[in-house]
Amino acid sequence: MTLTYEEFANRTDEIRKKIEAYCLSYGRHPQEVTLLPVTKNHPVTAFEYVSRYGLLSAGENRVQEAMSKKEQFSGQLKIELIGHLQTNKAKAAALHFDRIQSVDSIKLIHHLDRHASESDRNLPILLQFNAGNDPAKHGAEISKASSMMEEALSKKNLQIDGLMTIAPFSKDSEIAKRTFMTLRECRDMLADQFAVTLPVLSMGMSGDLEEAIAAGSTQVRIGTALFGSRE
Ligand SMILES: *Cc1c(COP(=O)(O)O)cnc(C)c1O
């Protein structure tokens, strides 16, 4: 990684200013939206930058890669899994991540709860939905939201913080907007139906930050705008 810490800090300042400006223009409080820097495909230096800047968490999309970086890193950083999780890696994920955002099937809910219970953990999760109906994206269908939620709520060792989605890749910003509104409505519907709060809406990346904040995102996951493009 050729990026210096100063460059990273400048980019992070810029993104935080953008988040603040979008919040103000959509009538939201800037503190409602947290920035999750996405360190995937970058070396452990990325963890060091994030931590030095004072951010508390980073997003990683592969179990093995995140674990190896954690081993090399001596500081304190919470790591959230944002990439697709296969059931054969559920045990390692349940042990090593501070939150798993990519929970997209009932089978995975079962596995994660069992492994969390074996290690006596209360594991924070988000349910991931394919709110933009994009065949190229992971995430459960929105039509499965109630049954997934019911299953997740029945698990003693899972704590459901909210929902996550990835918008389809498109030049048309209306598509991202619609995707994020769909996830927000799904969250409101589930919160109402099950009388729970579901405070976290993890949505928005480098290319669709504004649409996400407009629709109610509480966590934006930013990689490229902070670290540059990945190989
Ligand atoms: C890579 C990734 C991001 C960050 O995307 P950028 O466009 O680089 O900001 C966010 N969320 C998920 C799930 C990702 O895999």
Side-chain angles (χ1 to χ4, degrees), residues 62-64 67 81 84-95 97 100 108 112 115:
R62 288 165 58 219
V63 176
Q64 220 50 51
M67 283 170 61
L81 183 66
H84 182 63
L85 178 59
Q86 290 169 326
T87 48
N88 63 358
K89 303 231 173 77
K91 183 172 185 177
L95 281 176
F97 285 87
I100 298 178
L108 199 49
L112 289 173
H115 296 305

Side-chain angles (χ1 to χ4, degrees), residues 37-69:
V38 175
T39 49
K40 70 181 187 204
N41 297 14
H42 294 295
V44 67
T45 318
F47 277 13
E48 285 156 13
Y49 287 4
V50 164
S51 170
R52 182 169 160 194
Y53 188 91
L55 296 166
L56 304 178
S57 312
E60 282 282 334
N61 74 337
R62 288 165 58 219
V63 176
Q64 220 50 51
E65 180 185 335
M67 283 170 61
S68 116
K69 268 184 247 181

